[in-house]
Amino acid sequence: MTQPLTVAVQMDPLDQINVAGDSTFALMLAAQARGHTLFHYDATALNWSDGRLWAKAHPVTVQRVAGDHFRFGDPVALDLGVDADVVLMRQDPPFDLGYITATHLLERVADRTLIVNDPASVRNAPEKVFVLDYARFMPPTLVTRSLDEARAFLKQHGEIVVKPLHGNGGKAIFHVRNSGENLSALMEVFNQTWREPHMVQAFLPDVAKGDKRIVLVDGEVAGAINRLPGEGEIRSNLAVGGSAQKTELTPREREICAVLGPELKRRGLIFVGIDVIGGEWLTEINVTSPTGIVAIEKFDGTDVAGMIWDAIDKRLKERAR
């Protein structure tokens, strides 16, 4: 039996989530079932002064009843370095200066309170940059702001995909065919919209067969789903109309997980979702606010939320030694 914990959940407004599929909500339900006390706050509510980090937070209870899925108590000034045992950093990207600042603030109490995922590691491992450490598993990839370089890459690979380096949820992903007729306009829009470089990758026709989300818990495979694109789409993200189906891992995917796992564990990245296309091509390592655990439980019966809380309990015991 684990000790009851005080858990602060840093996330987006609760009234805007889909309780049927939201991974953070599933984690909250699992925590409540274990007797943990939950608090909710938004990242914009963080305050620091005289070495203290606190947030105006609401005690909250949750239930899986759409439209009546949470109840707030009166807000309190929750000292995250003293009053909380665990902080779940679960607000959705964009991975912008607001997100980065929140990691800097939470890092100041990480020696006293377990932050999941580790804030310094989250800051240093943005999804489409961290994955470059594992380029041998990736499709041909170019990171650039240069139209000339993008044109040369298109000529080499025939068809390409262009996407924001810090995008999320399948937003602003464009398929450019071998004619390249819209590439210059697309690069112009990207360069006007984002100051950072953009990710350009060889188009993988196997994306029509799905984009697999594999969840790792403290470096170990917890489960996977295959996400299929909607009609007329190349994007398979559930947030943009993709659908999920049961799946198994290929030998190549198991190899990828075996290589990534120890590093994820070392970095304190307890809940991670990686994306693999065609059973072999690693495209992202999602550490900011990964999803997919509800769908995995639906298809496999695996209690991934419970596995995450078990990993958190283990980390807390190790810190207490």
Side-chain angles (χ1 to χ4, degrees), residues 204-215 223-230 234-239 241-250 253 274-281 283 291-300:
L204 302 174
D206 277 350
V207 73
K209 301 175 185 176
D211 177 1
K212 198 170 294 184
R213 163 58 56 89
I214 306 170
V215 170
I225 53 169
N226 191 42
R227 301 173 299 179
L228 293 169
I234 63 165
R235 304 175 299 171
S236 55
N237 306 71
L238 302 185
S243 59
Q245 64 178 196
K246 186 178 175 63
T247 191
E248 301 289 338
L249 298 192
T250 67
E253 289 165 341
I274 68 170
D275 296 338
V276 182
I277 293 176
E280 60 177 319
W281 298 111
T283 58
T291 61
I293 66 176
V294 176
I296 290 172
E297 182 174 1
K298 173 185 174 184
F299 290 116
D300 296 344

Side-chain angles (χ1 to χ4, degrees), residues 127-129 143-144 161-168 170-174 186 190 193-194 196-200 284:
E127 274 81 344
K128 296 182 184 70
V129 179
V143 178
T144 189
V161 170
V162 183
K163 50 190 173 182
L165 196 63
H166 296 301
N168 70 294
K171 300 182 184 73
I173 296 177
F174 290 87
L186 182 60
F190 268 50
T193 305
W194 294 286
E196 64 270 16
H198 325 298
M199 179 166 273
V200 185
E284 292 189 18

Side-chain angles (χ1 to χ4, degrees), residues 13-153:
L14 271 169
D15 60 357
Q16 298 177 14
I17 66 169
N18 173 14
V19 300
D22 189 272
S23 291
T24 307
F25 191 74
L27 287 171
M28 294 172 74
L29 285 169
Q32 185 175 269
R34 293 183 176 216
H36 302 332
T37 300
L38 296 171
F39 287 85
H40 172 278
Y41 71 93
D42 185 274
T44 60
L46 288 170
N47 308 277
W48 182 93
S49 179
D50 296 328
R52 293 177 59 245
L53 180 67
W54 77 97
K56 184 180 179 181
H58 290 268
V60 61
T61 57
V62 290
Q63 58 180 359
R64 198 182 291 282
V65 179
D68 186 25
H69 53 281
F70 71 97
R71 298 284 172 87
F72 276 160
D74 294 333
V76 299
L78 189 71
D79 188 321
L80 298 178
V82 175
D83 301 329
D85 299 298
V86 179
V87 173
L88 297 182
M89 186 171 62
R90 292 287 304 172
Q91 77 270 25
D92 288 339
F95 189 75
D96 56 13
L97 280 175
Y99 208 112
I100 291 169
T101 301
T103 68
H104 280 294
L105 291 173
L106 287 172
E107 191 177 2
R108 279 157 171 74
V109 299
D111 60 333
R112 290 166 279 160
T113 302
L114 180 64
I115 317 295
V116 181
N117 285 322
D118 179 83
S121 293
V122 167
R123 185 173 64 247
N124 293 331
E127 274 81 344
K128 296 182 184 70
V129 179
F130 181 27
V131 71
L132 301 179
D133 288 355
Y134 303 94
R136 65 190 183 278
F137 298 125
M138 296 178 68
T141 298
L142 169 70
V143 178
T144 189
R145 287 178 63 86
S146 166
L147 174 59
D148 289 342
E149 295 297 338
R151 280 175 168 159
F153 190 82

Side-chain angles (χ1 to χ4, degrees), residues 288-320:
T288 50
S289 185
T291 61
I293 66 176
V294 176
I296 290 172
E297 182 174 1
K298 173 185 174 184
F299 290 116
D300 296 344
T302 305
D303 181 13
V304 182
M307 294 173 68
I308 292 169
W309 283 111
D310 287 345
I312 289 171
D313 287 338
K314 184 178 178 182
R315 289 270 179 165
L316 288 170
K317 290 173 182 175
E318 289 171 351
R319 288 162 66 111

